[in-house]
Amino acid sequence: MFSAIQRIYGSSVFDSDDSAVPTPAAPPSQPAPDHLEFIGIDSSECENLISAVSRQALAVDRQTADQWMADFAGSCFTKGALRWLDGLDEGTKSSWRALRKAMLSRYRPLFHGKSGEEAEEFLRTIHDRAINANQVGQSQWYCQIFGSSLAGEPLRWYASQSQAVQNNWQRLQRASLARYVRGETSLGPANVPLANFPFQRGRVLVVIPSKPLICYASRSFDGELTMNLTQNLAEFLIVEYNPSFFGRQSLRIPDGQIMGSDVLAIECLSEPTDDHRYATPYP
């Protein structure tokens, strides 16, 4: 009707001061979030998403809105990460604090076996997690975290270990430190390519000062983890080492002499139980 009257009498009849009518204020603009997509590749992607969610929540003044942050993060999940998210309980999915904790546990850093230093840092991280989880001294918990945090060559090495090593944290620590030695990388000391690495072969001579006994490490075992000593040339264990590398190094076991083992470290017992049981190998 207003339009019809305006056409009849002209628009001047209805002209008025628009300033007398209050105009609703436009809502404050909110920055549009960048396109976020979380696939669940690794720990770095997980940490990046957590940081992005926190920044976006701060930008829209929702940094204390626990469920809003959880919902926003959930909208970024896709592919494998989305399937993992769907398997969580509703309480975890609707709370950013709970979801963030679950994400950091699921997408934790993996051990790739690049160097002895990485191995030491990996073991220290497991100790720190045990403290935070109140699991200090729980060998099985340590072993489970260790086994679920491996990738590449360390995973294949771990799979070749016996149950006695996999399920005993003290043995597992020593085995991993013997396999990944400080000063060596996954390709050998000083990043020397494996094809050019100056290996030499030799035997492990064992001398027991308290007894007139000189013998060598054998390829056989007396018990699950205890290596025999032998004076029989046909039973000598042949190892490879780098004579130009000074300091501690692992001894490689070539040619599949011991099934499932390719590296040797030896721990001497203070009192040998007999003439044959003297050292414990940690392949």
Side-chain angles (χ1 to χ4, degrees), residues 236-259:
F236 289 172
L237 175 68
I238 304 300
V239 297
E240 292 180 339
Y241 67 99
N242 176 18
S244 64
F245 179 71
F246 297 97
R248 181 185 175 193
Q249 63 174 296
S250 54
L251 303 177
R252 289 170 169 79
I253 304 174
D255 305 329
Q257 298 174 84
I258 301 178
M259 183 176 296

PDB file of all heavy atoms in Angstrom, residues 236-259:
ATOM      1  N   PHE A 236      82.368 -70.192  16.026  1.00  0.00           N
ATOM      2  CA  PHE A 236      82.641 -68.785  16.317  1.00  0.00           C
ATOM      3  C   PHE A 236      81.599 -67.883  15.656  1.00  0.00           C
ATOM      4  O   PHE A 236      81.216 -68.092  14.494  1.00  0.00           O
ATOM      5  CB  PHE A 236      84.021 -68.385  15.806  1.00  0.00           C
ATOM      6  CG  PHE A 236      85.171 -68.977  16.577  1.00  0.00           C
ATOM      7  CD1 PHE A 236      86.467 -68.823  16.126  1.00  0.00           C
ATOM      8  CD2 PHE A 236      84.957 -69.673  17.768  1.00  0.00           C
ATOM      9  CE1 PHE A 236      87.525 -69.365  16.826  1.00  0.00           C
ATOM     10  CE2 PHE A 236      86.013 -70.215  18.468  1.00  0.00           C
ATOM     11  CZ  PHE A 236      87.307 -70.070  17.996  1.00  0.00           C
ATOM     12  N   LEU A 237      81.156 -66.872  16.401  1.00  0.00           N
ATOM     13  CA  LEU A 237      80.279 -65.846  15.846  1.00  0.00           C
ATOM     14  C   LEU A 237      81.132 -64.811  15.111  1.00  0.00           C
ATOM     15  O   LEU A 237      82.070 -64.246  15.686  1.00  0.00           O
ATOM     16  CB  LEU A 237      79.480 -65.155  16.958  1.00  0.00           C
ATOM     17  CG  LEU A 237      78.615 -63.967  16.525  1.00  0.00           C
ATOM     18  CD1 LEU A 237      77.460 -64.447  15.647  1.00  0.00           C
ATOM     19  CD2 LEU A 237      78.085 -63.211  17.737  1.00  0.00           C
ATOM     20  N   ILE A 238      80.817 -64.549  13.856  1.00  0.00           N
ATOM     21  CA  ILE A 238      81.518 -63.545  13.067  1.00  0.00           C
ATOM     22  C   ILE A 238      80.739 -62.232  13.141  1.00  0.00           C
ATOM     23  O   ILE A 238      79.520 -62.212  12.924  1.00  0.00           O
ATOM     24  CB  ILE A 238      81.662 -63.988  11.597  1.00  0.00           C
ATOM     25  CG1 ILE A 238      82.358 -65.346  11.524  1.00  0.00           C
ATOM     26  CG2 ILE A 238      82.418 -62.941  10.795  1.00  0.00           C
ATOM     27  CD1 ILE A 238      83.763 -65.368  12.127  1.00  0.00           C
ATOM     28  N   VAL A 239      81.432 -61.140  13.458  1.00  0.00           N
ATOM     29  CA  VAL A 239      80.798 -59.831  13.556  1.00  0.00           C
ATOM     30  C   VAL A 239      81.515 -58.845  12.638  1.00  0.00           C
ATOM     31  O   VAL A 239      82.656 -59.069  12.228  1.00  0.00           O
ATOM     32  CB  VAL A 239      80.814 -59.306  15.003  1.00  0.00           C
ATOM     33  CG1 VAL A 239      80.013 -60.213  15.928  1.00  0.00           C
ATOM     34  CG2 VAL A 239      82.245 -59.162  15.521  1.00  0.00           C
ATOM     35  N   GLU A 240      80.817 -57.762  12.324  1.00  0.00           N
ATOM     36  CA  GLU A 240      81.397 -56.681  11.531  1.00  0.00           C
ATOM     37  C   GLU A 240      81.521 -55.436  12.392  1.00  0.00           C
ATOM     38  O   GLU A 240      80.636 -55.124  13.196  1.00  0.00           O
ATOM     39  CB  GLU A 240      80.517 -56.375  10.309  1.00  0.00           C
ATOM     40  CG  GLU A 240      80.502 -57.491   9.287  1.00  0.00           C
ATOM     41  CD  GLU A 240      79.626 -57.164   8.089  1.00  0.00           C
ATOM     42  OE1 GLU A 240      78.746 -56.283   8.230  1.00  0.00           O
ATOM     43  OE2 GLU A 240      79.807 -57.773   7.017  1.00  0.00           O
ATOM     44  N   TYR A 241      82.639 -54.696  12.222  1.00  0.00           N
ATOM     45  CA  TYR A 241      82.864 -53.483  12.999  1.00  0.00           C
ATOM     46  C   TYR A 241      83.619 -52.482  12.144  1.00  0.00           C
ATOM     47  O   TYR A 241      84.149 -52.807  11.074  1.00  0.00           O
ATOM     48  CB  TYR A 241      83.646 -53.809  14.272  1.00  0.00           C
ATOM     49  CG  TYR A 241      85.072 -54.276  14.023  1.00  0.00           C
ATOM     50  CD1 TYR A 241      86.154 -53.402  14.138  1.00  0.00           C
ATOM     51  CD2 TYR A 241      85.327 -55.601  13.657  1.00  0.00           C
ATOM     52  CE1 TYR A 241      87.438 -53.839  13.894  1.00  0.00           C
ATOM     53  CE2 TYR A 241      86.616 -56.041  13.416  1.00  0.00           C
ATOM     54  CZ  TYR A 241      87.673 -55.161  13.530  1.00  0.00           C
ATOM     55  OH  TYR A 241      88.953 -55.586  13.293  1.00  0.00           O
ATOM     56  N   ASN A 242      83.667 -51.237  12.627  1.00  0.00           N
ATOM     57  CA  ASN A 242      84.353 -50.170  11.917  1.00  0.00           C
ATOM     58  C   ASN A 242      85.637 -49.825  12.662  1.00  0.00           C
ATOM     59  O   ASN A 242      85.593 -49.164  13.696  1.00  0.00           O
ATOM     60  CB  ASN A 242      83.443 -48.942  11.819  1.00  0.00           C
ATOM     61  CG  ASN A 242      84.142 -47.749  11.178  1.00  0.00           C
ATOM     62  OD1 ASN A 242      85.163 -47.915  10.515  1.00  0.00           O
ATOM     63  ND2 ASN A 242      83.587 -46.565  11.379  1.00  0.00           N
ATOM     64  N   PRO A 243      86.789 -50.222  12.198  1.00  0.00           N
ATOM     65  CA  PRO A 243      88.035 -49.993  12.926  1.00  0.00           C
ATOM     66  C   PRO A 243      88.454 -48.528  12.977  1.00  0.00           C
ATOM     67  O   PRO A 243      89.262 -48.149  13.814  1.00  0.00           O
ATOM     68  CB  PRO A 243      89.051 -50.832  12.147  1.00  0.00           C
ATOM     69  CG  PRO A 243      88.488 -50.919  10.771  1.00  0.00           C
ATOM     70  CD  PRO A 243      87.006 -50.962  10.936  1.00  0.00           C
ATOM     71  N   SER A 244      87.894 -47.694  12.088  1.00  0.00           N
ATOM     72  CA  SER A 244      88.273 -46.279  12.074  1.00  0.00           C
ATOM     73  C   SER A 244      87.396 -45.431  12.978  1.00  0.00           C
ATOM     74  O   SER A 244      87.626 -44.239  13.115  1.00  0.00           O
ATOM     75  CB  SER A 244      88.211 -45.742  10.646  1.00  0.00           C
ATOM     76  OG  SER A 244      86.883 -45.788  10.155  1.00  0.00           O
ATOM     77  N   PHE A 245      86.363 -46.043  13.577  1.00  0.00           N
ATOM     78  CA  PHE A 245      85.456 -45.299  14.446  1.00  0.00           C
ATOM     79  C   PHE A 245      85.842 -45.544  15.895  1.00  0.00           C
ATOM     80  O   PHE A 245      85.747 -46.664  16.396  1.00  0.00           O
ATOM     81  CB  PHE A 245      84.012 -45.734  14.198  1.00  0.00           C
ATOM     82  CG  PHE A 245      83.011 -45.021  15.066  1.00  0.00           C
ATOM     83  CD1 PHE A 245      82.720 -43.693  14.855  1.00  0.00           C
ATOM     84  CD2 PHE A 245      82.369 -45.694  16.098  1.00  0.00           C
ATOM     85  CE1 PHE A 245      81.799 -43.036  15.650  1.00  0.00           C
ATOM     86  CE2 PHE A 245      81.455 -45.049  16.896  1.00  0.00           C
ATOM     87  CZ  PHE A 245      81.166 -43.715  16.667  1.00  0.00           C
ATOM     88  N   PHE A 246      86.300 -44.496  16.570  1.00  0.00           N
ATOM     89  CA  PHE A 246      86.736 -44.631  17.949  1.00  0.00           C
ATOM     90  C   PHE A 246      85.560 -44.337  18.882  1.00  0.00           C
ATOM     91  O   PHE A 246      84.849 -43.359  18.717  1.00  0.00           O
ATOM     92  CB  PHE A 246      87.895 -43.681  18.237  1.00  0.00           C
ATOM     93  CG  PHE A 246      89.121 -43.979  17.424  1.00  0.00           C
ATOM     94  CD1 PHE A 246      89.381 -43.269  16.259  1.00  0.00           C
ATOM     95  CD2 PHE A 246      89.996 -44.983  17.796  1.00  0.00           C
ATOM     96  CE1 PHE A 246      90.497 -43.553  15.498  1.00  0.00           C
ATOM     97  CE2 PHE A 246      91.117 -45.275  17.036  1.00  0.00           C
ATOM     98  CZ  PHE A 246      91.371 -44.555  15.886  1.00  0.00           C
ATOM     99  N   GLY A 247      85.390 -45.164  19.867  1.00  0.00           N
ATOM    100  CA  GLY A 247      84.275 -45.013  20.799  1.00  0.00           C
ATOM    101  C   GLY A 247      83.347 -46.203  20.718  1.00  0.00           C
ATOM    102  O   GLY A 247      83.576 -47.163  19.986  1.00  0.00           O
ATOM    103  N   ARG A 248      82.291 -46.124  21.466  1.00  0.00           N
ATOM    104  CA  ARG A 248      81.344 -47.225  21.535  1.00  0.00           C
ATOM    105  C   ARG A 248      80.642 -47.405  20.197  1.00  0.00           C
ATOM    106  O   ARG A 248      80.212 -46.441  19.570  1.00  0.00           O
ATOM    107  CB  ARG A 248      80.317 -46.915  22.620  1.00  0.00           C
ATOM    108  CG  ARG A 248      79.283 -47.993  22.821  1.00  0.00           C
ATOM    109  CD  ARG A 248      78.242 -47.522  23.828  1.00  0.00           C
ATOM    110  NE  ARG A 248      77.165 -48.486  23.973  1.00  0.00           N
ATOM    111  CZ  ARG A 248      76.023 -48.221  24.577  1.00  0.00           C
ATOM    112  NH1 ARG A 248      75.818 -47.032  25.096  1.00  0.00           N
ATOM    113  NH2 ARG A 248      75.090 -49.146  24.682  1.00  0.00           N
ATOM    114  N   GLN A 249      80.520 -48.621  19.763  1.00  0.00           N
ATOM    115  CA  GLN A 249      79.784 -48.916  18.544  1.00  0.00           C
ATOM    116  C   GLN A 249      79.158 -50.293  18.652  1.00  0.00           C
ATOM    117  O   GLN A 249      79.592 -51.145  19.426  1.00  0.00           O
ATOM    118  CB  GLN A 249      80.697 -48.857  17.317  1.00  0.00           C
ATOM    119  CG  GLN A 249      81.815 -49.897  17.309  1.00  0.00           C
ATOM    120  CD  GLN A 249      82.600 -49.885  16.009  1.00  0.00           C
ATOM    121  OE1 GLN A 249      82.066 -50.184  14.941  1.00  0.00           O
ATOM    122  NE2 GLN A 249      83.878 -49.520  16.108  1.00  0.00           N
ATOM    123  N   SER A 250      78.108 -50.501  17.897  1.00  0.00           N
ATOM    124  CA  SER A 250      77.465 -51.809  17.876  1.00  0.00           C
ATOM    125  C   SER A 250      78.192 -52.721  16.905  1.00  0.00           C
ATOM    126  O   SER A 250      78.804 -52.271  15.937  1.00  0.00           O
ATOM    127  CB  SER A 250      75.994 -51.673  17.475  1.00  0.00           C
ATOM    128  OG  SER A 250      75.888 -50.977  16.257  1.00  0.00           O
ATOM    129  N   LEU A 251      78.142 -54.000  17.179  1.00  0.00           N
ATOM    130  CA  LEU A 251      78.757 -55.004  16.310  1.00  0.00           C
ATOM    131  C   LEU A 251      77.660 -55.636  15.474  1.00  0.00           C
ATOM    132  O   LEU A 251      76.691 -56.182  16.006  1.00  0.00           O
ATOM    133  CB  LEU A 251      79.464 -56.077  17.148  1.00  0.00           C
ATOM    134  CG  LEU A 251      80.544 -55.566  18.106  1.00  0.00           C
ATOM    135  CD1 LEU A 251      81.116 -56.719  18.925  1.00  0.00           C
ATOM    136  CD2 LEU A 251      81.646 -54.843  17.365  1.00  0.00           C
ATOM    137  N   ARG A 252      77.808 -55.569  14.193  1.00  0.00           N
ATOM    138  CA  ARG A 252      76.784 -56.117  13.307  1.00  0.00           C
ATOM    139  C   ARG A 252      77.005 -57.616  13.102  1.00  0.00           C
ATOM    140  O   ARG A 252      78.141 -58.070  13.025  1.00  0.00           O
ATOM    141  CB  ARG A 252      76.814 -55.373  11.974  1.00  0.00           C
ATOM    142  CG  ARG A 252      76.305 -53.950  12.082  1.00  0.00           C
ATOM    143  CD  ARG A 252      76.583 -53.163  10.815  1.00  0.00           C
ATOM    144  NE  ARG A 252      75.872 -51.900  10.810  1.00  0.00           N
ATOM    145  CZ  ARG A 252      76.260 -50.812  11.466  1.00  0.00           C
ATOM    146  NH1 ARG A 252      77.370 -50.832  12.188  1.00  0.00           N
ATOM    147  NH2 ARG A 252      75.551 -49.694  11.416  1.00  0.00           N
ATOM    148  N   ILE A 253      75.883 -58.333  13.011  1.00  0.00           N
ATOM    149  CA  ILE A 253      75.925 -59.778  12.800  1.00  0.00           C
ATOM    150  C   ILE A 253      75.511 -60.048  11.353  1.00  0.00           C
ATOM    151  O   ILE A 253      74.332 -59.959  11.012  1.00  0.00           O
ATOM    152  CB  ILE A 253      74.985 -60.511  13.768  1.00  0.00           C
ATOM    153  CG1 ILE A 253      75.328 -60.150  15.217  1.00  0.00           C
ATOM    154  CG2 ILE A 253      75.053 -62.013  13.562  1.00  0.00           C
ATOM    155  CD1 ILE A 253      74.373 -60.718  16.239  1.00  0.00           C
ATOM    156  N   PRO A 254      76.454 -60.365  10.476  1.00  0.00           N
ATOM    157  CA  PRO A 254      76.121 -60.549   9.059  1.00  0.00           C
ATOM    158  C   PRO A 254      75.638 -61.956   8.745  1.00  0.00           C
ATOM    159  O   PRO A 254      75.771 -62.888   9.551  1.00  0.00           O
ATOM    160  CB  PRO A 254      77.463 -60.269   8.363  1.00  0.00           C
ATOM    161  CG  PRO A 254      78.482 -60.773   9.351  1.00  0.00           C
ATOM    162  CD  PRO A 254      77.909 -60.475  10.724  1.00  0.00           C
ATOM    163  N   ASP A 255      75.069 -62.085   7.566  1.00  0.00           N
ATOM    164  CA  ASP A 255      74.776 -63.390   6.965  1.00  0.00           C
ATOM    165  C   ASP A 255      73.741 -64.208   7.735  1.00  0.00           C
ATOM    166  O   ASP A 255      73.691 -65.433   7.608  1.00  0.00           O
ATOM    167  CB  ASP A 255      76.060 -64.222   6.811  1.00  0.00           C
ATOM    168  CG  ASP A 255      77.132 -63.489   6.021  1.00  0.00           C
ATOM    169  OD1 ASP A 255      76.762 -62.688   5.135  1.00  0.00           O
ATOM    170  OD2 ASP A 255      78.328 -63.701   6.309  1.00  0.00           O
ATOM    171  N   GLY A 256      72.919 -63.553   8.557  1.00  0.00           N
ATOM    172  CA  GLY A 256      71.855 -64.271   9.248  1.00  0.00           C
ATOM    173  C   GLY A 256      72.332 -65.376  10.166  1.00  0.00           C
ATOM    174  O   GLY A 256      71.668 -66.420  10.291  1.00  0.00           O
ATOM    175  N   GLN A 257      73.472 -65.178  10.838  1.00  0.00           N
ATOM    176  CA  GLN A 257      74.000 -66.219  11.719  1.00  0.00           C
ATOM    177  C   GLN A 257      73.081 -66.491  12.902  1.00  0.00           C
ATOM    178  O   GLN A 257      73.001 -67.626  13.390  1.00  0.00           O
ATOM    179  CB  GLN A 257      75.386 -65.811  12.241  1.00  0.00           C
ATOM    180  CG  GLN A 257      76.441 -65.644  11.165  1.00  0.00           C
ATOM    181  CD  GLN A 257      77.732 -65.099  11.743  1.00  0.00           C
ATOM    182  OE1 GLN A 257      78.561 -65.845  12.270  1.00  0.00           O
ATOM    183  NE2 GLN A 257      77.882 -63.778  11.673  1.00  0.00           N
ATOM    184  N   ILE A 258      72.407 -65.440  13.395  1.00  0.00           N
ATOM    185  CA  ILE A 258      71.457 -65.594  14.496  1.00  0.00           C
ATOM    186  C   ILE A 258      70.108 -65.089  14.000  1.00  0.00           C
ATOM    187  O   ILE A 258      69.968 -63.908  13.675  1.00  0.00           O
ATOM    188  CB  ILE A 258      71.897 -64.818  15.748  1.00  0.00           C
ATOM    189  CG1 ILE A 258      73.271 -65.318  16.215  1.00  0.00           C
ATOM    190  CG2 ILE A 258      70.872 -64.941  16.860  1.00  0.00           C
ATOM    191  CD1 ILE A 258      73.815 -64.571  17.419  1.00  0.00           C
ATOM    192  N   MET A 259      69.134 -65.947  13.916  1.00  0.00           N
ATOM    193  CA  MET A 259      67.834 -65.590  13.356  1.00  0.00           C
ATOM    194  C   MET A 259      67.205 -64.431  14.136  1.00  0.00           C
ATOM    195  O   MET A 259      67.123 -64.451  15.358  1.00  0.00           O
ATOM    196  CB  MET A 259      66.895 -66.795  13.386  1.00  0.00           C
ATOM    197  CG  MET A 259      65.532 -66.527  12.742  1.00  0.00           C
ATOM    198  SD  MET A 259      64.491 -68.008  12.700  1.00  0.00           S
ATOM    199  CE  MET A 259      65.467 -69.058  11.623  1.00  0.00           C
TER     200      MET A 259
END
